[in-house]
Amino acid sequence: MRGWKGAVGAVGLALLLAGCGGDASEPQAQLQAESLGKDTGIRYDKSQVPTVKNMSCDRKRGSIRYGLNAHKVESLPEHKGEKASEDYVCHGPDRISLAVEGRTVAAPHIAAEYDLYGAVPDPLKTVKTVYGESLAENDERTLVGGAETVTTKTAAIICQKNVWETFPMTTCLWANHGAVGAVDFFPPAGRHPEIAEAVTRTKELIATGLVEGSVNS
């Protein structure tokens, strides 16, 4: 789990969170799913700074780390190149600020992790495993409502509202045939980002954050 380091440490977040209660009873968004396609053999040389509409993204820098850490899947073939794992953050036009012990700390709207593998034979099975070990079994996160699973032609995505400390998050785990990722969406208005929006953003992050390399036979 990537926690708050540096200035934040293990201190609880002193936030007044409007609308945090009751989310578990809200109806889940209706999400359009496609059938997950077969492995095309595409693998990735590296990740890159993603492009997200109306946001500015960059490689994570500094000592303060944000976001959920995707559980390493030891059974998958390792990525042979360098930079097998990278983290990025994206900020919207209105910054998110957290009050911690009288100090103001800026948080990103999105914290995204990309972990590359030599192959991910079953993305749906993999993302379910990563979800369970990274989020569902994480004793620092309280789940809110039910998880939503969506597949596209190239990826499987699971998104879940949750609370970390007193901070309402929406988190998505994803996998395709060459990579696995974790995305934390921080609340721009003191409440959980909606899952449908998180899925849309996750698709953008997958589509723009990976640099294609060799195609396996």
Side-chain angles (χ1 to χ4, degrees), residues 13-65:
L13 305 179
L15 295 175
L16 296 176
L17 301 176
C20 184
D23 281 349
S25 62
E26 293 180 1
Q28 294 293 324
Q30 296 299 311
L31 302 172
Q32 186 67 36
E34 304 174 70
S35 296
L36 185 63
K38 294 181 179 180
D39 187 358
T40 61
I42 294 174
R43 301 294 179 260
Y44 307 101
D45 283 339
K46 60 183 179 179
S47 62
Q48 65 183 0
V49 177
T51 301
V52 180
K53 186 177 180 181
N54 298 325
M55 289 193 177
S56 176
C57 301
D58 200 356
R59 182 171 274 102
K60 180 197 68 61
R61 294 184 173 89
S63 60
I64 297 178
R65 305 188 71 179

Side-chain angles (χ1 to χ4, degrees), residues 29-123:
Q30 296 299 311
L31 302 172
Q32 186 67 36
E34 304 174 70
S35 296
L36 185 63
K38 294 181 179 180
D39 187 358
T40 61
I42 294 174
R43 301 294 179 260
Y44 307 101
D45 283 339
K46 60 183 179 179
S47 62
Q48 65 183 0
V49 177
T51 301
V52 180
K53 186 177 180 181
N54 298 325
M55 289 193 177
S56 176
C57 301
D58 200 356
R59 182 171 274 102
K60 180 197 68 61
R61 294 184 173 89
S63 60
I64 297 178
R65 305 188 71 179
Y66 304 94
L68 186 76
N69 188 17
H71 181 81
K72 180 74 174 176
V73 185
E74 300 294 344
S75 62
L76 298 179
E78 291 187 4
H79 181 255
K80 294 182 180 179
E82 297 181 359
K83 303 292 185 181
S85 182
E86 288 282 1
D87 299 90
Y88 303 91
V89 292
C90 300
H91 293 87
D94 298 322
R95 293 297 180 101
I96 298 174
S97 296
L98 309 180
V100 182
E101 290 191 328
R103 303 177 62 179
T104 300
V105 179
H109 285 68
I110 299 174
E113 174 190 354
Y114 294 79
D115 294 333
L116 308 185
Y117 291 92
V120 182
D122 189 337

Side-chain angles (χ1 to χ4, degrees), residues 68 131 135 141 158-162 169-173 182-185 193 195 198 202:
L68 186 76
Y131 166 82
L135 183 58
R141 301 275 181 136
I158 298 179
C159 296
Q160 171 79 61
K161 292 181 180 180
N162 61 94
M169 313 286 290
T170 298
T171 302
C172 294
L173 287 305
V183 189
D184 258 336
F185 295 89
I195 287 181
T202 299

Side-chain angles (χ1 to χ4, degrees), residues 128-213:
K128 287 179 178 179
T129 298
V130 174
Y131 166 82
E133 296 180 356
S134 301
L135 183 58
E137 297 176 7
N138 189 329
D139 59 9
E140 295 185 12
R141 301 275 181 136
T142 301
L143 305 188
V144 177
E148 287 277 359
T149 301
V150 177
T151 55
T152 71
K153 291 182 179 179
T154 58
I157 304 168
I158 298 179
C159 296
Q160 171 79 61
K161 292 181 180 180
N162 61 94
V163 175
W164 173 51
E165 298 285 348
T166 58
F167 205 27
M169 313 286 290
T170 298
T171 302
C172 294
L173 287 305
W174 61 268
N176 62 19
H177 285 101
V180 175
V183 189
D184 258 336
F185 295 89
F186 288 72
R191 58 181 178 269
H192 299 278
E194 291 303 318
I195 287 181
E197 176 68 13
V199 168
T200 298
R201 295 296 199 187
T202 299
K203 290 178 180 179
E204 288 182 88
L205 290 161
I206 297 171
T208 63
L210 295 167
V211 179
E212 291 185 10

